[in-house]
Amino acid sequence: MRLSHRALMALPQMAKAARKGGKPDNFTDYAKFSVLKDPSVWPLVTIVSGVACLGVAAMCWNAYSKTDVVFDKTKQPWMDVPQDRPTQKLITINQKYKNIPQLEVLKDLKEE
């Protein structure tokens, strides 16, 4: 059976018209179709996209505001704690330093 040129040109348009009334072929078209046409999906999409945005925002905030996140490995700010004055602590409970003899021996061995 031979098809004319006009019939061949009309095939894609006929296929598109047939698909409009039916279900979409792939997942992305189905997702777009269901989000736009079904209002019961809107809260789910809103909540999931909001959680994703907040997660990315939390990661960016932690990366740029926390001192323990380091992008440049040559700088280590936690190694520059001043030893001549006390550092600020959140809470101290019954903290008294006692010399541990085994630790002193290890320090002496390390120095040698």
Side-chain angles (χ1 to χ4, degrees), residues 90-106:
L90 183 61
I91 189 169
T92 304
I93 300 173
N94 297 333
Q95 183 177 1
K96 292 185 179 178
Y97 181 74
K98 297 176 185 175
N99 285 335
I100 302 171
Q102 293 89 358
L103 185 62
E104 297 298 325
V105 170
L106 287 176

Side-chain angles (χ1 to χ4, degrees), residues 15-65:
K16 188 184 280 187
R19 273 187 287 182
K20 276 191 175 179
K23 291 184 177 179
D25 290 337
N26 56 17
F27 178 73
T28 56
D29 289 342
Y30 179 73
K32 290 176 192 174
F33 177 77
S34 66
V35 168
L36 293 176
K37 302 290 182 192
D38 189 10
S40 65
V41 181
W42 295 350
L44 177 66
V45 170
T46 304
I47 290 170
V48 169
S49 60
V51 166
C53 289
L54 287 174
V56 170
M59 285 190 300
C60 291
W61 179 71
N62 282 329
Y64 291 112
S65 68

